[in-house]
Amino acid sequence: MSDYILNFFSGLFNSTAADVIISIVFLIIGFLGLIKGADIFVDSASQIAAKLKVPLIVIGLTIVAFGTSAPEAAISITSAYQNNAGIAVGNVLGSNVMNILLILGISALICRLPVKKTTFMYEIPFVAFITAVLLLIGYIGGSVDRIDGVILAVLFVVFMAYLFRLSKSGDSSLADDVPEIDENASIPKMIIFVIIGIAMVVLGSDFTVSGATKIAEIAGLDDRIIGLTVVAFGTSLPELVTCIQAARKKKTDIAIGNIIGSNIFNILFVLGISALVSPSPIVFQDSFIVDAIVAIAAALILWLLCLNKNKSFGKVGGIIMLAVYAGYFAYLFLQPSLV
């Protein structure tokens, strides 16, 4: 639908400048729809679950976790349906690199970031492992098909089982992101809001993909670069705001865990579901090999920075992360001219 609206306005004004402005407006509308829609969905679905006496820890592990990955999921699934692999895969890899190097890098400049023992020992290495699995899948087959989607889905189930086991061991931090429960909220009203939230996410993804694709066409940029930068930044905005606010308030005990959890969901849930529902295999471009390697390196850098007595890192680590991201960002835009 958004393509028809975008083409209508482009034909109406018939100028490159107008096309750029219209595409940027579409991008902004899309991002706002994605972020606000995900918030409405998570809040409303959490209220319904609480009314049905679902434990907070389960709400945190399912509804909240799925909701925070909703922007990436909606973008990648929409892009996969439109055979736009550049944005579908680029969004996931770009978000994962950005989450660690840019978001945690900025947060570390504000205050020192500690990492939980389980995150250091299991979750950060797991991010590197599943990214390597994705790289292997893409390198060998040249695409991510339904069989690959099943592999990612199985790994996702394993991760969810790990989280439930962790929650039973008494790790209450897994439910810290659950919205405050409103006793006066009615289930029928919350169901309506859930539907509104889902609709906003779907429409937001449609507008975002259309706007991003149009900008890529006008600027002569590869869809991959748009997915790795502009779209990835837009879908990572919730994580950026959350981490910076947590750092400012000195509530950083689970900041890294939340980012790592988001990265795991992005690869296993977002790409796994995208591959399962896509009408055709999602093409894994050769250029994504470098991006996947950078995503693995980002996880390893984070792990190495936390390889100390306090299992934490501060301003020096933040500067290192931002410097690595700046180098990667420069590579993305210099590479086309070097080929």
Side-chain angles (χ1 to χ4, degrees), residues 53 65 98 114-115 137 139 167 169 171 179 204 211 213 216 239 246 249-250 252-253 256 267 269 274 281 296 333-334:
K53 307 300 182 183
M98 199 170 288
V115 59
I137 287 172
Y139 179 76
S167 69
S169 69
D171 191 347
T213 303
E239 287 91 345
K249 295 177 182 178
K250 309 297 182 183
T252 58
D253 53 329
I256 294 178
I267 291 179
F269 175 69
S274 297
I296 295 171
F333 286 93
L334 289 175

PDB file of all heavy atoms in Angstrom, residues 53 65 98 114-115 137 139 167 169 171 179 204 211 213 216 239 246 249-250 252-253 256 267 269 274 281 296 333-334:
ATOM      1  N   LYS A  53      -3.417 -14.001  35.118  1.00  0.00           N
ATOM      2  CA  LYS A  53      -2.555 -14.579  36.164  1.00  0.00           C
ATOM      3  C   LYS A  53      -1.294 -15.254  35.615  1.00  0.00           C
ATOM      4  O   LYS A  53      -0.782 -16.208  36.214  1.00  0.00           O
ATOM      5  CB  LYS A  53      -3.337 -15.580  37.027  1.00  0.00           C
ATOM      6  CG  LYS A  53      -4.632 -15.032  37.604  1.00  0.00           C
ATOM      7  CD  LYS A  53      -4.398 -13.819  38.492  1.00  0.00           C
ATOM      8  CE  LYS A  53      -5.710 -13.308  39.091  1.00  0.00           C
ATOM      9  NZ  LYS A  53      -5.507 -12.079  39.911  1.00  0.00           N
ATOM     10  N   ALA A  65       9.937  -9.703  25.288  1.00  0.00           N
ATOM     11  CA  ALA A  65      11.042 -10.067  24.396  1.00  0.00           C
ATOM     12  C   ALA A  65      10.625 -10.007  22.933  1.00  0.00           C
ATOM     13  O   ALA A  65      11.340  -9.459  22.085  1.00  0.00           O
ATOM     14  CB  ALA A  65      11.547 -11.470  24.744  1.00  0.00           C
ATOM     15  N   MET A  98      25.268  -2.400  15.580  1.00  0.00           N
ATOM     16  CA  MET A  98      24.957  -1.106  16.180  1.00  0.00           C
ATOM     17  C   MET A  98      24.640  -1.231  17.667  1.00  0.00           C
ATOM     18  O   MET A  98      25.059  -0.393  18.480  1.00  0.00           O
ATOM     19  CB  MET A  98      23.780  -0.474  15.433  1.00  0.00           C
ATOM     20  CG  MET A  98      23.633   1.021  15.622  1.00  0.00           C
ATOM     21  SD  MET A  98      22.404   1.709  14.490  1.00  0.00           S
ATOM     22  CE  MET A  98      23.272   1.620  12.941  1.00  0.00           C
ATOM     23  N   PRO A 114      28.503  -2.908  33.952  1.00  0.00           N
ATOM     24  CA  PRO A 114      28.826  -4.264  34.422  1.00  0.00           C
ATOM     25  C   PRO A 114      28.059  -5.305  33.615  1.00  0.00           C
ATOM     26  O   PRO A 114      27.043  -5.001  32.993  1.00  0.00           O
ATOM     27  CB  PRO A 114      28.337  -4.247  35.874  1.00  0.00           C
ATOM     28  CG  PRO A 114      27.171  -3.295  35.847  1.00  0.00           C
ATOM     29  CD  PRO A 114      27.491  -2.259  34.793  1.00  0.00           C
ATOM     30  N   VAL A 115      28.569  -6.527  33.599  1.00  0.00           N
ATOM     31  CA  VAL A 115      27.890  -7.603  32.893  1.00  0.00           C
ATOM     32  C   VAL A 115      27.645  -8.750  33.874  1.00  0.00           C
ATOM     33  O   VAL A 115      28.504  -9.061  34.708  1.00  0.00           O
ATOM     34  CB  VAL A 115      28.715  -8.091  31.682  1.00  0.00           C
ATOM     35  CG1 VAL A 115      30.086  -8.578  32.137  1.00  0.00           C
ATOM     36  CG2 VAL A 115      27.998  -9.200  30.936  1.00  0.00           C
ATOM     37  N   ILE A 137      25.744 -20.627   7.038  1.00  0.00           N
ATOM     38  CA  ILE A 137      24.561 -20.898   6.218  1.00  0.00           C
ATOM     39  C   ILE A 137      24.592 -20.067   4.931  1.00  0.00           C
ATOM     40  O   ILE A 137      24.383 -20.571   3.828  1.00  0.00           O
ATOM     41  CB  ILE A 137      23.271 -20.599   7.007  1.00  0.00           C
ATOM     42  CG1 ILE A 137      23.034 -21.676   8.076  1.00  0.00           C
ATOM     43  CG2 ILE A 137      22.065 -20.516   6.073  1.00  0.00           C
ATOM     44  CD1 ILE A 137      21.890 -21.356   9.017  1.00  0.00           C
ATOM     45  N   TYR A 139      27.185 -18.490   3.551  1.00  0.00           N
ATOM     46  CA  TYR A 139      28.378 -18.732   2.725  1.00  0.00           C
ATOM     47  C   TYR A 139      28.236 -20.014   1.901  1.00  0.00           C
ATOM     48  O   TYR A 139      28.574 -20.044   0.718  1.00  0.00           O
ATOM     49  CB  TYR A 139      29.618 -18.824   3.618  1.00  0.00           C
ATOM     50  CG  TYR A 139      30.891 -19.092   2.858  1.00  0.00           C
ATOM     51  CD1 TYR A 139      31.512 -18.081   2.125  1.00  0.00           C
ATOM     52  CD2 TYR A 139      31.483 -20.361   2.885  1.00  0.00           C
ATOM     53  CE1 TYR A 139      32.681 -18.327   1.423  1.00  0.00           C
ATOM     54  CE2 TYR A 139      32.651 -20.618   2.182  1.00  0.00           C
ATOM     55  CZ  TYR A 139      33.243 -19.595   1.447  1.00  0.00           C
ATOM     56  OH  TYR A 139      34.404 -19.851   0.751  1.00  0.00           O
ATOM     57  N   SER A 167      15.348 -18.406  34.788  1.00  0.00           N
ATOM     58  CA  SER A 167      14.331 -17.763  35.620  1.00  0.00           C
ATOM     59  C   SER A 167      13.984 -18.620  36.836  1.00  0.00           C
ATOM     60  O   SER A 167      13.731 -18.103  37.929  1.00  0.00           O
ATOM     61  CB  SER A 167      13.063 -17.507  34.791  1.00  0.00           C
ATOM     62  OG  SER A 167      12.417 -18.723  34.457  1.00  0.00           O
ATOM     63  N   SER A 169      16.020 -20.424  38.392  1.00  0.00           N
ATOM     64  CA  SER A 169      17.144 -20.390  39.327  1.00  0.00           C
ATOM     65  C   SER A 169      17.108 -19.152  40.203  1.00  0.00           C
ATOM     66  O   SER A 169      17.963 -18.963  41.064  1.00  0.00           O
ATOM     67  CB  SER A 169      18.469 -20.438  38.562  1.00  0.00           C
ATOM     68  OG  SER A 169      18.678 -19.236  37.852  1.00  0.00           O
ATOM     69  N   ASP A 171      16.713 -15.780  38.915  1.00  0.00           N
ATOM     70  CA  ASP A 171      17.164 -14.545  38.271  1.00  0.00           C
ATOM     71  C   ASP A 171      15.955 -13.683  37.931  1.00  0.00           C
ATOM     72  O   ASP A 171      15.416 -13.746  36.835  1.00  0.00           O
ATOM     73  CB  ASP A 171      17.961 -14.870  37.010  1.00  0.00           C
ATOM     74  CG  ASP A 171      18.671 -13.645  36.446  1.00  0.00           C
ATOM     75  OD1 ASP A 171      18.350 -12.530  36.890  1.00  0.00           O
ATOM     76  OD2 ASP A 171      19.549 -13.812  35.577  1.00  0.00           O
ATOM     77  N   PRO A 179       6.125  -3.984  31.903  1.00  0.00           N
ATOM     78  CA  PRO A 179       5.461  -2.731  32.272  1.00  0.00           C
ATOM     79  C   PRO A 179       4.686  -2.873  33.584  1.00  0.00           C
ATOM     80  O   PRO A 179       4.277  -3.969  33.955  1.00  0.00           O
ATOM     81  CB  PRO A 179       4.494  -2.493  31.094  1.00  0.00           C
ATOM     82  CG  PRO A 179       5.058  -3.287  29.971  1.00  0.00           C
ATOM     83  CD  PRO A 179       5.698  -4.482  30.598  1.00  0.00           C
ATOM     84  N   GLY A 204       3.917   0.480   9.884  1.00  0.00           N
ATOM     85  CA  GLY A 204       5.193   1.168  10.062  1.00  0.00           C
ATOM     86  C   GLY A 204       6.306   0.494   9.277  1.00  0.00           C
ATOM     87  O   GLY A 204       7.135   1.161   8.654  1.00  0.00           O
ATOM     88  N   GLY A 211      10.126   3.725   2.080  1.00  0.00           N
ATOM     89  CA  GLY A 211      10.930   4.947   2.152  1.00  0.00           C
ATOM     90  C   GLY A 211      12.416   4.657   2.009  1.00  0.00           C
ATOM     91  O   GLY A 211      13.130   5.351   1.279  1.00  0.00           O
ATOM     92  N   THR A 213      13.872   2.009   0.594  1.00  0.00           N
ATOM     93  CA  THR A 213      14.164   1.525  -0.761  1.00  0.00           C
ATOM     94  C   THR A 213      14.229   2.681  -1.745  1.00  0.00           C
ATOM     95  O   THR A 213      15.108   2.729  -2.617  1.00  0.00           O
ATOM     96  CB  THR A 213      13.092   0.518  -1.217  1.00  0.00           C
ATOM     97  OG1 THR A 213      13.022  -0.563  -0.274  1.00  0.00           O
ATOM     98  CG2 THR A 213      13.414  -0.039  -2.590  1.00  0.00           C
ATOM     99  N   ALA A 216      17.418   4.638  -1.291  1.00  0.00           N
ATOM    100  CA  ALA A 216      18.540   3.888  -1.872  1.00  0.00           C
ATOM    101  C   ALA A 216      18.592   4.079  -3.384  1.00  0.00           C
ATOM    102  O   ALA A 216      19.660   4.261  -3.971  1.00  0.00           O
ATOM    103  CB  ALA A 216      18.412   2.404  -1.528  1.00  0.00           C
ATOM    104  N   GLU A 239      16.297   0.401  21.856  1.00  0.00           N
ATOM    105  CA  GLU A 239      17.427  -0.070  22.648  1.00  0.00           C
ATOM    106  C   GLU A 239      18.360   1.082  23.015  1.00  0.00           C
ATOM    107  O   GLU A 239      18.873   1.146  24.137  1.00  0.00           O
ATOM    108  CB  GLU A 239      18.216  -1.139  21.880  1.00  0.00           C
ATOM    109  CG  GLU A 239      17.512  -2.478  21.778  1.00  0.00           C
ATOM    110  CD  GLU A 239      16.649  -2.579  20.529  1.00  0.00           C
ATOM    111  OE1 GLU A 239      16.376  -1.536  19.892  1.00  0.00           O
ATOM    112  OE2 GLU A 239      16.244  -3.705  20.188  1.00  0.00           O
ATOM    113  N   ALA A 246      19.126   4.164  31.165  1.00  0.00           N
ATOM    114  CA  ALA A 246      19.599   3.294  32.242  1.00  0.00           C
ATOM    115  C   ALA A 246      20.974   3.738  32.728  1.00  0.00           C
ATOM    116  O   ALA A 246      21.251   3.752  33.933  1.00  0.00           O
ATOM    117  CB  ALA A 246      19.656   1.848  31.759  1.00  0.00           C
ATOM    118  N   LYS A 249      20.709   6.896  34.817  1.00  0.00           N
ATOM    119  CA  LYS A 249      20.114   6.629  36.132  1.00  0.00           C
ATOM    120  C   LYS A 249      20.932   5.632  36.951  1.00  0.00           C
ATOM    121  O   LYS A 249      20.519   5.215  38.026  1.00  0.00           O
ATOM    122  CB  LYS A 249      18.687   6.100  35.951  1.00  0.00           C
ATOM    123  CG  LYS A 249      17.732   7.109  35.333  1.00  0.00           C
ATOM    124  CD  LYS A 249      16.354   6.485  35.118  1.00  0.00           C
ATOM    125  CE  LYS A 249      15.400   7.476  34.458  1.00  0.00           C
ATOM    126  NZ  LYS A 249      14.071   6.871  34.209  1.00  0.00           N
ATOM    127  N   LYS A 250      22.104   5.225  36.398  1.00  0.00           N
ATOM    128  CA  LYS A 250      22.990   4.275  37.075  1.00  0.00           C
ATOM    129  C   LYS A 250      22.342   2.905  37.273  1.00  0.00           C
ATOM    130  O   LYS A 250      22.733   2.148  38.153  1.00  0.00           O
ATOM    131  CB  LYS A 250      23.445   4.823  38.436  1.00  0.00           C
ATOM    132  CG  LYS A 250      24.021   6.231  38.401  1.00  0.00           C
ATOM    133  CD  LYS A 250      25.295   6.303  37.568  1.00  0.00           C
ATOM    134  CE  LYS A 250      25.869   7.718  37.595  1.00  0.00           C
ATOM    135  NZ  LYS A 250      27.078   7.843  36.744  1.00  0.00           N
ATOM    136  N   THR A 252      22.452   0.029  35.486  1.00  0.00           N
ATOM    137  CA  THR A 252      23.104  -0.614  34.344  1.00  0.00           C
ATOM    138  C   THR A 252      23.351  -2.102  34.545  1.00  0.00           C
ATOM    139  O   THR A 252      24.044  -2.728  33.737  1.00  0.00           O
ATOM    140  CB  THR A 252      24.454   0.067  34.077  1.00  0.00           C
ATOM    141  OG1 THR A 252      25.258  -0.037  35.266  1.00  0.00           O
ATOM    142  CG2 THR A 252      24.266   1.535  33.734  1.00  0.00           C
ATOM    143  N   ASP A 253      22.810  -2.684  35.621  1.00  0.00           N
ATOM    144  CA  ASP A 253      23.139  -4.066  35.942  1.00  0.00           C
ATOM    145  C   ASP A 253      22.694  -5.056  34.860  1.00  0.00           C
ATOM    146  O   ASP A 253      23.279  -6.125  34.717  1.00  0.00           O
ATOM    147  CB  ASP A 253      22.545  -4.466  37.296  1.00  0.00           C
ATOM    148  CG  ASP A 253      21.052  -4.189  37.388  1.00  0.00           C
ATOM    149  OD1 ASP A 253      20.602  -3.235  36.741  1.00  0.00           O
ATOM    150  OD2 ASP A 253      20.351  -4.932  38.095  1.00  0.00           O
ATOM    151  N   ILE A 256      23.704  -4.634  29.459  1.00  0.00           N
ATOM    152  CA  ILE A 256      24.379  -5.473  28.470  1.00  0.00           C
ATOM    153  C   ILE A 256      23.553  -6.719  28.176  1.00  0.00           C
ATOM    154  O   ILE A 256      23.427  -7.153  27.028  1.00  0.00           O
ATOM    155  CB  ILE A 256      25.792  -5.867  28.952  1.00  0.00           C
ATOM    156  CG1 ILE A 256      26.670  -4.624  29.046  1.00  0.00           C
ATOM    157  CG2 ILE A 256      26.422  -6.884  28.005  1.00  0.00           C
ATOM    158  CD1 ILE A 256      28.077  -4.884  29.548  1.00  0.00           C
ATOM    159  N   ILE A 267      18.633 -12.549  15.350  1.00  0.00           N
ATOM    160  CA  ILE A 267      19.113 -13.591  14.438  1.00  0.00           C
ATOM    161  C   ILE A 267      18.193 -14.806  14.425  1.00  0.00           C
ATOM    162  O   ILE A 267      17.734 -15.250  13.364  1.00  0.00           O
ATOM    163  CB  ILE A 267      20.546 -14.021  14.810  1.00  0.00           C
ATOM    164  CG1 ILE A 267      21.527 -12.893  14.497  1.00  0.00           C
ATOM    165  CG2 ILE A 267      20.947 -15.283  14.033  1.00  0.00           C
ATOM    166  CD1 ILE A 267      22.971 -13.205  14.844  1.00  0.00           C
ATOM    167  N   PHE A 269      15.057 -15.403  16.014  1.00  0.00           N
ATOM    168  CA  PHE A 269      13.610 -15.206  15.859  1.00  0.00           C
ATOM    169  C   PHE A 269      13.291 -14.445  14.578  1.00  0.00           C
ATOM    170  O   PHE A 269      12.509 -14.906  13.742  1.00  0.00           O
ATOM    171  CB  PHE A 269      13.048 -14.466  17.071  1.00  0.00           C
ATOM    172  CG  PHE A 269      11.592 -14.111  16.945  1.00  0.00           C
ATOM    173  CD1 PHE A 269      10.616 -15.100  16.966  1.00  0.00           C
ATOM    174  CD2 PHE A 269      11.192 -12.787  16.810  1.00  0.00           C
ATOM    175  CE1 PHE A 269       9.266 -14.777  16.858  1.00  0.00           C
ATOM    176  CE2 PHE A 269       9.847 -12.460  16.693  1.00  0.00           C
ATOM    177  CZ  PHE A 269       8.889 -13.459  16.716  1.00  0.00           C
ATOM    178  N   SER A 274      11.479 -14.983   9.317  1.00  0.00           N
ATOM    179  CA  SER A 274      11.491 -14.422   7.961  1.00  0.00           C
ATOM    180  C   SER A 274      11.752 -15.512   6.929  1.00  0.00           C
ATOM    181  O   SER A 274      11.101 -15.563   5.877  1.00  0.00           O
ATOM    182  CB  SER A 274      12.565 -13.329   7.849  1.00  0.00           C
ATOM    183  OG  SER A 274      12.299 -12.246   8.714  1.00  0.00           O
ATOM    184  N   PRO A 281      13.725 -18.217  -0.948  1.00  0.00           N
ATOM    185  CA  PRO A 281      14.892 -18.090  -0.077  1.00  0.00           C
ATOM    186  C   PRO A 281      15.408 -16.654  -0.021  1.00  0.00           C
ATOM    187  O   PRO A 281      15.387 -15.939  -1.030  1.00  0.00           O
ATOM    188  CB  PRO A 281      15.922 -19.025  -0.730  1.00  0.00           C
ATOM    189  CG  PRO A 281      15.097 -20.028  -1.468  1.00  0.00           C
ATOM    190  CD  PRO A 281      13.907 -19.268  -1.975  1.00  0.00           C
ATOM    191  N   ILE A 296      30.323 -10.730  14.534  1.00  0.00           N
ATOM    192  CA  ILE A 296      31.012 -11.685  15.413  1.00  0.00           C
ATOM    193  C   ILE A 296      32.108 -10.967  16.191  1.00  0.00           C
ATOM    194  O   ILE A 296      32.272 -11.154  17.408  1.00  0.00           O
ATOM    195  CB  ILE A 296      31.607 -12.843  14.600  1.00  0.00           C
ATOM    196  CG1 ILE A 296      30.495 -13.675  13.952  1.00  0.00           C
ATOM    197  CG2 ILE A 296      32.479 -13.745  15.493  1.00  0.00           C
ATOM    198  CD1 ILE A 296      31.000 -14.708  12.954  1.00  0.00           C
ATOM    199  N   PHE A 333      30.595   2.975   3.293  1.00  0.00           N
ATOM    200  CA  PHE A 333      30.368   4.003   2.287  1.00  0.00           C
ATOM    201  C   PHE A 333      31.547   4.190   1.339  1.00  0.00           C
ATOM    202  O   PHE A 333      31.378   4.729   0.247  1.00  0.00           O
ATOM    203  CB  PHE A 333      30.023   5.334   2.974  1.00  0.00           C
ATOM    204  CG  PHE A 333      28.628   5.354   3.542  1.00  0.00           C
ATOM    205  CD1 PHE A 333      28.419   4.991   4.866  1.00  0.00           C
ATOM    206  CD2 PHE A 333      27.543   5.686   2.766  1.00  0.00           C
ATOM    207  CE1 PHE A 333      27.130   4.972   5.392  1.00  0.00           C
ATOM    208  CE2 PHE A 333      26.257   5.672   3.282  1.00  0.00           C
ATOM    209  CZ  PHE A 333      26.039   5.312   4.603  1.00  0.00           C
ATOM    210  N   LEU A 334      32.737   3.739   1.753  1.00  0.00           N
ATOM    211  CA  LEU A 334      33.896   3.847   0.872  1.00  0.00           C
ATOM    212  C   LEU A 334      34.005   2.638  -0.050  1.00  0.00           C
ATOM    213  O   LEU A 334      34.519   2.739  -1.153  1.00  0.00           O
ATOM    214  CB  LEU A 334      35.187   3.967   1.690  1.00  0.00           C
ATOM    215  CG  LEU A 334      35.396   5.296   2.416  1.00  0.00           C
ATOM    216  CD1 LEU A 334      36.647   5.224   3.280  1.00  0.00           C
ATOM    217  CD2 LEU A 334      35.499   6.441   1.414  1.00  0.00           C
TER     218      LEU A 334
END
